[in-house]
């Protein structure tokens, strides 16, 4: 083998290793930052981790801070991520960054297995392109260091699909049990990931037809995959029924209703998130070209089936998935879209070969049309990757600057001289259609290191505050914008209680009545 041929063979491997290291460094740069944004999910996961370390390491009973005067046991997904974080807290002390290290490690696993999944469908170079799109996607990068269960879920989700595809192709037992284990972990990590069962079901039907119902291994796969999640969520539901705390599961209504068919905001919101955060605008051109030229091939067809199962979730839970704040739910779409993006390279190559083969026999106008389409798709590929990088940079800069509420908490904390519970402003109790919302806002509890109650906007009243005070609340951390939703309420508070500290957006009231 000549040196030149060796380098030609080694170039793709060198390229993917270099790219992997580069995106790993990109994530590592954002790993060592505190929780400084008013993110209820990050603050809740941080609080649950801290409470495990400080109040007991029983993973069956996760505790939140906005617990009132109760124990704080809450309905949520299996708290594996905060439990792992708590283990490191017991060793190194409570540091927000330790949770991000776990998220970073899960993200590396997701990157590795996505490339292996891409190689099941694509050539080496096309897999590298798909990997680039996946690794640089701003939602994926955000979740790579976020204190949210999505990082663990995405890792398990991608590994589950990889093992399942390998099992269908080889029928090997090791892939069967790998798919079972990772599918079960996916469902435990995040219940909405259950849509993957629809995709798996379609692939099984394609392989076996109607005889799929006679396949014992298929039944075993379904039972073993679903049973752990079923048992956990029954237990979690019981925590909600007994203690009344939920992380957006039973205390918010997510599901499609009749207003979906009369209000275009739902479908527009879903497609907006897909267009901006998943396809990254220009990627839609690339994807359309790939599907147009190769929709019958496995890479495109199965990616589209995967997307269809995901859209079933988006439509079913449209009340949440259409909201911009919930864009992280759309991480599900990114793996199949990245496969389609990489598949476009193969189709471009085929297209270029056809163009050169028939160049002499085509008219000038036809050649120009074909060359223009080729250049448009190439430009869209580069534009997509550049736009991804730009969005990631903007996201990094935003997260590096502490949120105004975080700076406010630093001012309020020294003024809280009395130990005890607090009341903090929450969101709205219901949406404009009267459906329940998870109004709990956890960030002030986390930063102030206090326990207590949230009060939702519609329930703001002196009578309600007095009830909390009688149950042990010492302070009210009131958000001015929420107070303004109840005209006159701030004036009533100032008349009855003393303001002990104030910043731009928050007031701290001592709940000892004047006189």
């Amino acid at each position: 083998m000549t040196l030149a041929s060796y380098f030609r063979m080694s170039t793709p491997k060198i390229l993917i290793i270099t790219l992997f290291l580069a995106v790993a460094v990109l994530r590592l740069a954002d790993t060592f930052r505190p929780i400084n944004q008013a993110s209820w999910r990050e603050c809740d996961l941080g609080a649950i981790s801290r409470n495990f370390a400080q109040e007991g390491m029983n993973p069956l009973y996760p505790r939140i801070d906005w617990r009132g005067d109760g124990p704080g046991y809450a309905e949520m997904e299996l708290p594996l991520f905060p439990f792992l974080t708590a283990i490191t807290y017991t060793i190194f002390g409570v540091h927000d960054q330790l949770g991000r290290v776990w998220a970073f490690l899960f993200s590396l696993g997701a990157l590795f297995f996505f490339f292996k999944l891409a190689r099941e469908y694509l050539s080496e170079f096309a897999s590298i392109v798909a990997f680039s799109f996946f690794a640089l996607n701003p939602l994926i990068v955000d979740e790579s260091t976020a204190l949210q269960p999505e990082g663990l879920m995405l890792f398990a989700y991608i590994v589950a699909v990889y093992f399942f595809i390998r099992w269908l192709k080889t029928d090997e037992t090791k892939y069967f049990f790998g798919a079972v284990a990772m599918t079960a972990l996916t469902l435990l990590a995040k219940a909405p990931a259950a849509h993957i069962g629809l995709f798996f079901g379609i692939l099984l039907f394609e392989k076996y037809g109607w005889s799929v119902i006679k396949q014992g291994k298929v039944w075993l796969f379904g039972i073993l995959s679903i049973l752990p999640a079923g048992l956990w969520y029954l237990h979690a539901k019981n925590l909600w029924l007994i203690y009344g705390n939920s992380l957006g599961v039973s205390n918010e209504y997510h599901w499609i209703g009749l207003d979906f068919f009369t209000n275009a905001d739902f479908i527009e919101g879903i497609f907006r998130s897909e267009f901006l955060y998943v396809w990254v605008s220009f990627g839609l051109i690339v994807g359309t070209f790939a599907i147009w030229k190769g929709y019958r091939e496995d890479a495109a067809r199965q990616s589209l089936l995967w997307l269809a199962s995901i859209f079933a979730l988006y439509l079913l839970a449209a009340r949440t998935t259409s909201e911009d704040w919930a864009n992280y739910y759309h991480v599900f779409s990114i793996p199949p879209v990245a496969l389609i993006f990489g598949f476009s390279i193969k189709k471009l190559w085929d297209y270029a070969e056809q163009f050169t083969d028939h160049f002499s026999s085509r008219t000038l106008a036809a050649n120009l049309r074909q060359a223009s389409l080729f250049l448009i798709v190439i430009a869209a590929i580069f534009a997509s990757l550049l736009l991804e990088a730009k969005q990631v940079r903007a996201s990094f800069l935003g997260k590096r600057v502490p949120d105004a509420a975080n700076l406010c908490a630093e001012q309020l904390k020294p003024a809280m001289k009395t130990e005890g519970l607090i009341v903090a402003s929450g969101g709205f109790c219901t949406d404009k259609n009267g459906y329940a919302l998870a109004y709990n806002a956890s960030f002030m509890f986390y930063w102030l290191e206090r326990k207590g109650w949230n009060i939702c906007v519609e329930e703001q009243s002196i009578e309600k505050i007095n009830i909390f005070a009688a149950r042990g609340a010492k302070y009210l951390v009131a958000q001015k914008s929420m107070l303004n939703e109840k005209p006159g309420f701030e004036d009533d508070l100032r008349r009855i209680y003393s303001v002990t500290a104030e910043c731009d957006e928050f007031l701290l009231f001592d709940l000892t009545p004047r006189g």
Side-chain angles (χ1 to χ4, degrees):
M1 179 185 296
T2 65
L3 188 61
S5 61
Y6 172 77
F7 276 111
R8 280 197 299 273
M9 292 176 61
S10 302
T11 297
K13 293 182 176 61
I14 294 171
L15 185 57
I16 188 61
I17 291 171
T18 303
L19 185 59
F20 187 92
L21 291 175
V23 296
V25 170
L26 174 69
R27 286 154 169 74
L28 190 63
D30 201 40
T31 300
F32 302 101
R33 61 181 174 87
I35 300 176
N36 59 5
Q37 304 295 308
S39 164
W40 69 271
R41 279 303 259 164
E42 286 209 330
C43 291
D44 267 330
L45 268 288
I48 291 166
S49 302
R50 187 169 66 191
N51 292 334
F52 271 141
Q54 295 177 350
E55 301 180 8
M57 294 288 288
N58 188 339
L60 299 180
Y61 291 91
R63 299 169 180 253
I64 40 81
D65 283 346
W66 35 272
R67 61 179 70 173
D69 50 5
Y73 302 134
E75 176 190 44
M76 63 178 296
E77 63 277 343
L78 181 72
L80 178 59
F81 180 81
F83 185 75
L84 291 172
T85 303
I87 291 174
T88 51
Y89 281 0
T90 62
I91 300 170
F92 302 105
V94 177
H95 304 286
D96 298 341
Q97 293 85 347
L98 293 173
R100 299 198 192 280
V101 170
W102 279 108
F104 168 73
L105 294 175
F106 288 128
S107 77
L108 296 186
L111 291 172
F112 176 77
F113 276 97
F114 176 78
F115 184 73
K116 290 178 71 68
L117 176 62
R119 290 294 287 121
E120 292 295 313
Y121 291 105
L122 307 172
S123 68
E124 199 162 34
F125 184 68
S127 297
I128 292 172
V129 175
F131 178 86
S132 301
F133 185 86
F134 176 83
L136 284 174
N137 182 278
L139 284 184
I140 294 291
V141 174
D142 271 353
E143 295 308 317
S144 296
T145 56
L147 294 181
Q148 293 193 191
E150 276 71 20
L152 170 61
M153 180 278 300
L154 190 64
F155 163 70
Y157 183 75
I158 291 170
V159 181
V161 175
Y162 170 72
F163 281 143
F164 189 85
I165 296 299
R166 291 296 300 156
W167 172 48
L168 286 187
K169 287 183 177 181
T170 67
D171 205 32
E172 291 186 38
T173 301
K174 64 179 181 181
Y175 292 121
F176 170 81
F177 284 109
V180 165
M182 298 313 292
T183 303
L185 179 57
T186 301
L187 302 185
L188 287 165
K190 197 77 177 174
H195 69 264
I196 198 65
L198 179 58
F199 177 49
F200 288 170
I202 294 170
L203 294 185
L204 287 167
F205 186 80
E206 283 190 338
K207 180 174 181 177
Y208 295 109
W210 288 108
S211 67
V212 69
I213 60 176
K214 300 178 182 179
Q215 302 296 320
K217 219 169 186 179
V218 171
W219 283 100
L220 185 62
F221 176 86
I223 292 169
L224 294 179
S225 298
I226 295 171
L227 184 60
L231 293 174
W232 168 257
Y233 289 111
L234 281 173
H235 168 69
K237 184 71 173 182
N238 196 47
L239 294 180
W240 157 256
L241 294 174
I242 296 173
Y243 300 103
N245 304 315
S246 178
L247 267 64
V249 184
S250 295
N251 60 343
E252 180 162 345
Y253 192 81
H254 305 275
W255 314 114
I256 189 173
L258 292 177
D259 53 343
F260 177 86
F261 302 99
T262 58
N263 186 347
D265 290 345
F266 293 112
I267 198 69
E268 287 176 1
I270 292 170
F271 279 112
R272 182 175 61 250
S273 289
E274 289 289 296
F275 179 70
L276 293 177
Y277 303 116
V278 177
W279 293 92
V280 199
S281 304
F282 294 103
L284 197 58
I285 298 173
V286 182
T288 302
F289 171 80
I291 294 165
W292 171 39
K293 289 295 182 180
Y295 64 91
R296 296 180 187 275
E297 297 184 39
D298 279 352
R301 184 178 55 79
Q302 291 190 11
S303 295
L304 288 173
L305 290 173
W306 191 353
L307 270 177
S309 71
I310 294 166
F311 262 81
L313 164 70
Y314 294 159
L315 295 176
L316 184 64
R319 214 166 295 281
T320 293
T321 58
S322 61
E323 296 289 338
D324 194 63
W325 64 264
N327 58 43
Y328 58 84
Y329 278 90
H330 292 260
V331 295
F332 290 120
S333 301
I334 298 168
V337 167
L339 291 177
I340 292 171
F341 197 87
F343 179 67
S344 67
I345 293 298
K346 177 182 183 297
K347 302 318 296 178
L348 273 173
W349 185 263
D350 295 344
Y351 200 60
E353 285 184 336
Q354 293 172 15
F355 175 63
T356 53
D357 289 344
H358 300 291
F359 184 84
S360 57
S361 62
R362 290 178 180 271
T363 64
L364 179 61
N367 286 327
L368 288 174
R369 284 196 300 271
Q370 193 157 341
S372 298
L373 178 59
F374 184 83
L375 292 174
I376 287 170
V377 177
I378 288 290
I381 289 173
F382 282 103
S384 298
L385 296 175
L386 286 173
L387 188 56
E388 281 187 329
K390 182 180 178 182
Q391 289 189 15
V392 168
R393 178 179 179 275
S395 176
F396 271 21
L397 292 176
K399 289 184 293 187
R400 291 288 175 183
V401 179
D403 190 275
N406 180 245
L407 298 175
C408 226
E410 293 179 4
Q411 298 176 44
L412 301 182
K413 193 172 182 179
M416 302 173 72
K417 307 295 185 183
T418 306
E419 293 297 320
L421 305 174
I422 65 170
V423 182
S425 294
F428 288 89
C429 306
T430 61
D431 66 12
K432 59 186 178 183
N433 295 310
Y435 291 103
L437 293 174
Y439 63 81
N440 301 100
S442 54
F443 48 90
M444 276 300 177
F445 295 99
Y446 185 71
W447 291 327
L448 297 173
E449 298 185 67
R450 296 278 184 139
K451 307 295 190 288
W453 295 267
N454 274 131
I455 182 169
C456 63
V457 169
E458 293 90 329
E459 292 185 354
Q460 292 180 131
S461 68
I462 296 298
E463 292 74 19
K464 191 73 172 180
I465 298 300
N466 287 338
I467 291 172
F468 290 137
R471 294 176 65 180
K474 303 300 182 183
Y475 295 97
L476 167 64
V477 184
Q479 190 169 356
K480 294 178 182 178
S481 58
M482 297 296 104
L483 294 180
N484 291 339
E485 296 291 336
K486 273 291 187 80
F489 183 50
E490 181 180 338
D491 294 335
D492 291 340
L493 287 171
R494 287 180 180 274
R495 188 177 65 253
I496 299 171
Y497 302 111
S498 299
V499 176
T500 58
E502 181 175 356
C503 56
D504 288 344
E505 179 59 8
F506 288 86
L507 292 163
L508 181 66
F509 290 94
D510 186 327
L511 293 185
T512 303
R514 291 176 178 174

